[in-house]
Amino acid sequence: MSKHTPTVEAMVKLNNQLREELMGENKTYYEDLLTYIRTAGLFYDDHEVESLLMQILQDILSAQHDGQSAEAFFGKSPQKAADALIHNLGKASWKEIMKLTGIIFGISSFFELLNALTLPGKGINFLVLMLNGLLSFIVVGIVFHVLHRSIYAKIVKSKVLSFLVLWLACMLIIGLFVLIHVLTPPLLTLYLASPVGILMITILLVGLTIAALRRNKEDRKIWWSFLPPVYIMGLIGILSRLPLTEDWLASRNGRITAVVCIGFGLILNWVITYVNIRAEKE
Amino acid sequence: MLYKIAGFLYNKNNTSRYYIIGEVRCDPVKQTQLLKGVLEGCVLLIVSEDEVYGYELVQTLRNYGFTEITAGTVYPLLQKLEKKDYLLSRMKPSPDGPDRKYYQITSEGMNHCREFMNQWEQLVSNVNHLIRIKGGRRP
C-alpha cells in the first residue's frame, strides 16, 4: 500500500457521501449488503472491507447510471455473494485488534470508574473492571452477530414481538452487569482518599470534555448527549467527598436527591440522543 | 452432474466422457453452474487483453454471451484470482469521482490462461466426438 491509500475513516466518509446518489431500491439493496458485510465479524481487515464496499458501490452507481437496477447488476442472491466475499477477507492486524479491544475496555472502564467514584468509600475494584470489559466485549460481538443475521433473515416478526425480545435482551445484559458488581469479591480493590477521588473525577470530566470538543461536527452530537449524566455523576461524586456537603449527601434526603439528579441526567442523555436521531432522519 | 464437465477440465482425466450437454443450452441456471468452472478462464482471457474494473468486466462478459452473469458471481471470482496471484489490482483515477480498482493479469495468470485454453480445446474436441458418435440416438 502506498502512502496515498486513504484511511478507513476517509473511505467510510466517502461511502456515506456517494451512497446518497443511490436511488430507491438500489439504496436499500446496497445498504443491506453494506451492513451485512460490516457486521460479519469484529476482526476483519477494515481497510480491505471498506475498499471492497467502495468498489461495489462505485459499480452499482455505474449500473444505475446506465439504467440497470442494483439487483439486475449484482444478482438475486446478494447474501450468497456476500458470504463468498467475506470468506476471502483478510484478518485485521494485531495493532488493529489491540486498538479495538482497547476502545471497548476503555469505554466500559470509564463508566465503571465513574460509577465507582460517584459513591465514596466503595473503591475501585479492578476485578470488576476487567469482568465488565470482558462482558462489554461479548455484548458487542453478540450485537454484531444479531445485526448480521437479521439483514437477510426470512423470518418476519411482528413489531410487538421483536420489541419484547429486544427488551428482554437489554434486561438480561444490564442484569449481567449488575450481577458482576454484586457477586465479585473485593479482591483487587483500590480505595481512594477523598482528595484523590476529587482529583480523579476532575481528570475524567476534563478529559471527556476535551475529547468531546475535539470531535468533528457530526460525532460531536453523540458525545454531547453523554455529557449531562457524566457531569451530574461527577458533581455528586465531588460533593460527597467535600467536607461541607458529604454528610448531607450521605443522609437519606441527600441520597434521594442524588439519585433523582442522576436519573435526570440520564433522561437528558436520552432526549438529546432522540433529537439527534430525528434530525438525522429528515 | 453438469459441474463435472467443469471438473473435467481441471482433472485432465480423459476416461469418463459420457455427459449430456443438450440440457445446458436451454436452461440459464444450469448454464451458469456449468460456466462457473470455466468462468475463471474467461475472465483471465478478457483481462489479458486490457486491464478492467468490476463493472466493465461484467458488461464485457454479458456482451460476449454470458447474459445471465451477475456481479455477485464475478466479484468473488476476482477476489479468488487476486489471492492466487493471477491478477494484480491497482487504484486508478476515474473520470467520474474517486479512484477505481483496476485488475491486470500477471505472468502466472497468463500461464493459467494458456492451460485453460488447452484444456478447453481438448474438452470440446472430446465432447464433439462423442456427440457425433452417440448423440444420434435420442430417447
Side-chain angles (χ1 to χ4, degrees):
Chain A
M1 275 193 271
S2 71
K3 274 183 234 152
H4 299 293
T5 47
T7 62
V8 173
E9 286 99 5
M11 287 200 277
V12 171
K13 208 164 151 204
L14 188 59
N15 194 309
N16 293 339
Q17 254 179 302
L18 283 179
R19 225 158 59 224
E20 295 308 310
E21 293 179 28
L22 284 172
M23 295 192 279
E25 277 180 355
N26 293 346
K27 193 157 195 253
T28 323
Y29 187 96
Y30 178 71
E31 285 182 345
D32 281 348
L33 195 61
L34 179 97
T35 317
Y36 188 77
I37 293 180
R38 277 191 182 156
T39 55
L42 287 169
F43 294 125
Y44 286 114
D45 184 341
D46 281 336
H47 196 275
E48 207 178 316
V49 169
E50 292 307 317
S51 295
L52 178 66
L53 289 171
M54 177 59 70
Q55 185 184 10
I56 298 175
L57 177 60
Q58 286 173 313
D59 287 347
I60 290 183
L61 278 170
S62 300
Q64 180 177 270
H65 194 259
D66 289 344
Q68 207 184 137
S69 79
E71 194 178 335
F73 174 67
F74 204 80
K76 291 207 165 88
S77 7
Q79 184 177 12
K80 222 168 84 171
D83 285 337
L85 290 167
I86 292 165
H87 183 73
N88 284 327
L89 284 175
K91 295 276 151 88
S93 67
W94 275 114
K95 197 168 129 198
E96 285 171 356
I97 294 177
M98 287 286 110
K99 194 170 156 200
L100 180 68
T101 317
I103 290 177
I104 296 179
F105 265 77
I107 294 178
S108 106
S109 299
F110 176 84
F111 282 108
E112 175 51 35
L113 225 62
L114 197 67
N115 273 324
L117 288 169
T118 313
L119 293 161
K122 261 215 167 165
I124 304 168
N125 190 335
F126 283 101
L127 198 59
V128 170
L129 223 63
M130 287 191 286
L131 286 174
N132 268 342
L134 195 65
L135 184 60
S136 304
F137 204 79
I138 295 173
V139 167
V140 171
I142 292 177
V143 167
F144 264 54
H145 187 77
V146 167
L147 269 174
H148 181 70
R149 291 290 211 90
S150 70
I151 305 264
Y152 293 119
K154 302 258 164 56
I155 317 160
V156 180
K157 291 202 186 113
S158 71
K159 278 223 152 179
V160 177
L161 190 63
S162 53
F163 178 77
L164 278 176
V165 170
L166 190 66
W167 181 84
L168 199 68
C170 286
M171 288 291 114
L172 208 72
I173 292 171
I174 295 175
L176 278 171
F177 276 107
V178 172
L179 210 68
I180 288 179
H181 267 268
V182 168
L183 291 181
T184 317
L187 285 176
L188 295 166
T189 318
L190 180 72
Y191 292 99
L192 298 169
S194 304
V196 182
I198 295 179
L199 186 66
M200 278 213 76
I201 295 175
T202 324
I203 293 174
L204 277 178
L205 290 183
V206 170
L208 184 67
T209 318
I210 293 178
L213 286 172
R214 281 181 65 199
R215 301 290 132 184
N216 57 27
K217 265 247 155 132
E218 301 137 16
D219 291 342
R220 211 183 277 184
K221 291 192 215 143
I222 306 171
W223 284 70
W224 278 38
S225 74
F226 282 102
L227 292 183
V230 172
Y231 278 168
I232 290 176
M233 288 172 86
L235 192 66
I236 293 174
I238 292 178
L239 288 178
S240 44
R241 286 177 171 80
L242 290 175
L244 202 67
T245 42
E246 63 186 342
D247 292 327
W248 178 72
L249 266 171
S251 74
R252 190 159 168 269
N253 282 341
R255 298 238 286 265
I256 294 175
T257 322
V259 169
V260 168
C261 288
I262 294 175
F264 182 65
L266 289 171
I267 291 176
L268 271 179
N269 175 2
W270 185 83
V271 164
I272 297 177
T273 313
Y274 185 72
V275 166
N276 284 338
I277 293 178
R278 286 294 289 273
E280 255 186 48
K281 281 212 168 134
E282 277 152 33
Chain B
M1 185 252 325
L2 294 158
Y3 210 86
K4 282 188 197 160
I5 297 182
F8 184 84
L9 269 178
Y10 298 102
N11 287 339
K12 295 184 186 174
N13 187 351
N14 290 340
T15 51
S16 17
R17 303 174 191 177
Y18 294 79
Y19 298 126
I20 305 162
I21 63 168
E23 296 181 344
V24 174
R25 257 193 256 140
C26 311
D27 187 335
V29 173
K30 286 186 179 155
Q31 202 173 49
T32 323
Q33 283 178 334
L34 166 63
L35 290 172
K36 265 207 178 104
V38 168
L39 210 49
E40 272 191 21
C42 297
V43 167
L44 288 174
L45 275 167
I46 294 174
V47 183
S48 69
E49 188 176 67
D50 198 9
E51 63 178 359
V52 290
Y53 61 93
Y55 181 66
E56 212 181 3
L57 181 63
V58 176
Q59 293 306 99
T60 312
L61 281 166
R62 285 185 181 171
N63 289 337
Y64 276 108
F66 297 97
T67 51
E68 302 302 316
I69 207 103
T70 58
T73 316
V74 174
Y75 278 128
L77 192 64
L78 285 170
Q79 237 186 355
K80 207 165 79 165
L81 288 171
E82 197 181 348
K83 288 240 143 94
K84 285 193 197 170
D85 288 328
Y86 293 154
L87 293 178
L88 194 66
S89 70
R90 62 180 187 139
M91 302 302 285
K92 261 173 72 170
S94 82
D96 37 69
D99 297 357
R100 291 189 96 127
K101 194 180 224 191
Y102 279 78
Y103 292 93
Q104 45 184 209
I105 199 164
T106 62
S107 49
E108 285 111 14
M110 276 311 299
N111 290 337
H112 189 76
C113 190
R114 273 184 225 114
E115 227 175 78
F116 159 74
M117 288 192 278
N118 291 334
Q119 287 176 338
W120 176 257
E121 276 168 19
Q122 183 69 54
L123 171 68
V124 168
S125 126
N126 290 340
V127 175
N128 281 341
H129 178 72
L130 194 63
I131 291 176
R132 265 198 307 271
I133 299 191
K134 307 279 184 186
R137 297 191 208 122
R138 283 175 199 264

